Amino acid sequence: MFDIQKVREDFPILSRTVYGKPLVYLDNAATTQKPRAVVESIANEYYSVNANVHRGVHFLSQQATEHYEAARETVRKFINARTTNEIVFTRGTTESINLLASSFVESQMKPGEEVIVSNMEHHSNIVPWQVEAAKCGIAIKVIPINDKGELLLDEYEKLFSPKTKLVSIVHVSNVLGTINPVKKMIQIAHAHGVPVLVDGAQSIPHMKVDVQDLDADFLAFSGHKVYGPTGIGVLYGKEDWLDRLPPYQSGGEMIQSVSFEKTVFNELPFKFEAGTPDYVGSVSLARALDYVSALGMDNIFAHEKELTNYAMKRLKEIEGMRIYGESEQKSGVVSFLVGQIHHLDMGTLLDQLGIAVRTGHHCAQPLMIRYGIEGTVRASFGLYNTLAEVDALVDGIKRVMKMF
Ligand code: C6P
């Protein structure tokens, strides 16, 4: 598929040590490491272009603007949006969902109307709706899950009523790794005349996501989880929806004209990009998307699937192992607890062995409540992880178990 050792050389950080041990980085769902091409693009942009975009007539400003808009085109192509008007740059998934929650609820919903989310949402796809609920009197309905960590689609269908105005659903769970059947869920929502926001934070880095094929109305994702920089993300929205929604923030760039009597907002997508954007972040996000595209999203998915299947098999050999998330459709996230060992102890001791995992509730406390636990240990894979690193994790867990 691709030469994993060669790929690893593109990520200088992977050859460092921690506590004198080779780094085994298994916290890719939190953030991914950056290839040389991405880091160099940040330096190059600042060293040789750097100017404010969409503002100056001078050469640098025009070049920066060209690079910014070329980055938007790269994102458009990556998710197969129809036009760059549908691509809004934000700070990340969280800001994308906040933007939509604010603009959609305040313009499209009345008190008592409902948004459907699921029991496996990240806090970023719960709290913005709760904030809007407190302001605007909307209600939140929750799709339940089974013990394997799969959404109950029959229950989902039953949640719809004439009061349902939006479905906001995670594509891939950051805790369970479940790949939700979003295409089918969108069809169901559309049959009720309801648009759908897909939280793509954990799908965009790991599989091909085609917004036209899914027929998603909105999609949110973060640059830093797809080998790009922190502080940049995307909100995709169908043009006719974005046209109808009011701006989220206001100020420079999102206007066409301003007087004290009347302000006319800018056209798409600038209406949603108030203030000086992180244009360098956008450009280096585009380099990250070029990088994964060159490897091939299907190849990345297949490689991570192999790692996940192997990890599930090897982890299950450990006595007292409890795995959370056993869906058939599962991406490279494995959450677990072993015996009575606290997740924080396990994570801290694995760290001493050079193995970086995440512990805790993973910003999904309602899901923890569903399973009656406080937190888990989570290993999450990226395109550069190897089967040997899975072995290192398993050996590490066994060493920690011996200490208890
Ligand atoms: N999950 C994790 O370790 P931001 O922070 O805006 O880039 O992404 C938020 C977010 C939204 N949805 C899902 C499904 C996510 O997984 C995340 C981020 C990280 O699982 C950090 S909490």
Side-chain angles (χ1 to χ4, degrees):
M1 286 187 273
F2 49 82
D3 181 341
I4 191 80
Q5 288 312 326
K6 222 162 148 262
V7 161
R8 287 178 70 85
E9 284 165 22
D10 293 335
F11 295 80
I13 203 170
L14 297 179
S15 55
R16 70 161 288 178
T17 55
V18 290
Y19 310 113
K21 314 260 177 2
L23 170 69
V24 176
Y25 187 77
L26 300 178
D27 195 18
N28 293 284
T31 200
T32 48
Q33 301 302 344
K34 318 305 172 202
R36 233 179 269 278
V38 167
V39 179
E40 283 169 2
S41 75
I42 298 170
N44 289 344
E45 204 63 35
Y46 278 123
Y47 282 146
S48 56
V49 184
N50 186 47
N52 208 324
V53 292
H54 286 297
R55 280 159 173 84
V57 290
H58 63 78
F59 185 87
L60 292 186
S61 177
Q62 290 193 30
Q63 199 168 42
T65 304
E66 270 168 33
H67 290 187
Y68 185 50
E69 292 310 318
R72 203 187 301 278
E73 167 59 17
T74 302
V75 174
R76 183 206 66 73
K77 222 166 126 207
F78 190 73
I79 61 171
N80 193 29
R82 291 160 201 82
T83 132
T84 49
N85 288 349
E86 299 184 322
I87 306 298
V88 177
F89 284 117
T90 64
R91 286 194 300 120
T93 308
T94 303
E95 188 173 59
S96 297
I97 299 176
N98 273 274
L99 186 166
L100 194 77
S102 166
S103 291
F104 190 93
V105 175
E106 290 170 28
S107 68
Q108 308 293 316
M109 292 180 71
K110 294 195 276 300
E113 292 184 330
E114 297 167 356
V115 173
I116 296 177
V117 300
S118 85
N119 200 166
M120 65 171 85
E121 299 307 321
H122 186 277
H123 294 165
S124 294
N125 197 22
I126 299 173
V127 186
W129 307 111
Q130 289 176 331
V131 168
E132 290 304 321
K135 275 200 245 171
C136 306
I138 62 158
I140 300 164
K141 297 278 156 182
V142 182
I143 313 164
I145 62 170
N146 63 21
D147 289 344
K148 283 164 78 177
E150 296 162 328
L151 294 176
L152 301 180
L153 289 192
D154 291 352
E155 298 299 321
Y156 168 60
E157 289 226 52
K158 284 187 214 153
L159 292 178
F160 284 91
S161 79
K163 288 193 274 181
T164 313
K165 291 294 164 219
L166 186 72
V167 172
S168 189
I169 182 79
V170 71
H171 195 172
V172 172
S173 161
N174 67 320
V175 179
L176 307 165
T178 310
I179 304 170
N180 288 318
V182 287
K183 187 169 176 175
K184 188 169 173 199
M185 294 176 77
I186 290 168
Q187 281 166 359
I188 292 170
H190 286 174
H192 289 87
V194 174
V196 179
L197 164 63
V198 177
D199 172 353
Q202 301 291 353
S203 56
I204 283 285
H206 307 290
M207 63 190 68
K208 180 98 201 83
V209 177
D210 178 328
V211 291
Q212 291 194 62
D213 177 53
L214 292 178
D215 202 15
D217 301 279
F218 306 98
L219 172 91
F221 71 93
S222 300
H224 70 99
K225 292 190 199 287
V226 60
Y227 310 95
T230 49
I232 191 75
V234 170
L235 175 69
Y236 154 83
K238 281 182 183 165
E239 191 166 14
D240 56 341
W241 266 119
L242 292 183
D243 259 336
R244 271 185 272 167
L245 299 181
Y248 171 53
Q249 294 180 333
S250 44
E253 186 54 24
M254 50 74 69
I255 52 84
Q256 226 154 47
S257 67
V258 178
S259 71
F260 281 112
E261 288 70 42
K262 186 177 163 60
T263 288
V264 179
F265 299 136
N266 207 340
E267 55 202 25
L268 287 177
F270 313 111
K271 181 172 86 171
F272 291 107
E273 293 182 355
T276 300
D278 182 2
Y279 109 82
V280 176
S282 306
V283 169
S284 44
L285 167 60
R287 295 296 75 74
L289 299 182
D290 289 343
Y291 184 87
V292 292
S293 299
L295 292 181
M297 291 313 294
D298 290 342
N299 293 334
I300 291 172
F301 184 79
H303 172 65
E304 293 176 357
K305 186 78 192 153
E306 187 188 6
L307 292 172
T308 310
N309 290 346
Y310 183 62
M312 292 288 279
K313 177 177 154 289
R314 292 245 32 221
L315 289 172
K316 282 180 180 174
E317 289 163 12
I318 296 174
E319 216 184 301
M321 174 62 64
R322 301 190 300 288
I323 290 176
Y324 296 88
E326 299 240 30
S327 171
E328 288 299 309
Q329 303 301 320
K330 186 173 165 77
S331 85
V333 177
V334 184
S335 276
F336 60 90
L337 289 170
V338 192
Q340 296 305 311
I341 304 173
H342 194 273
H343 51 85
L344 194 58
D345 292 334
M346 178 62 85
T348 308
L349 290 167
L350 285 174
D351 179 50
Q352 301 290 312
L353 302 171
I355 303 167
V357 292
R358 190 172 167 191
T359 66
H361 54 61
H362 314 296
C363 301
Q365 281 183 309
L367 185 61
M368 299 297 123
I369 294 168
R370 161 66 179 76
Y371 282 106
I373 53 176
E374 225 182 78
T376 70
V377 184
R378 183 189 70 183
S380 52
F381 304 116
L383 58 87
Y384 37 60
N385 287 125
T386 63
L387 294 173
E389 289 181 310
V390 175
D391 289 334
L393 171 69
V394 172
D395 292 346
I397 294 168
K398 288 181 178 166
R399 278 185 68 179
V400 173
M401 287 170 75
K402 279 201 189 120
M403 293 182 207
F404 279 80

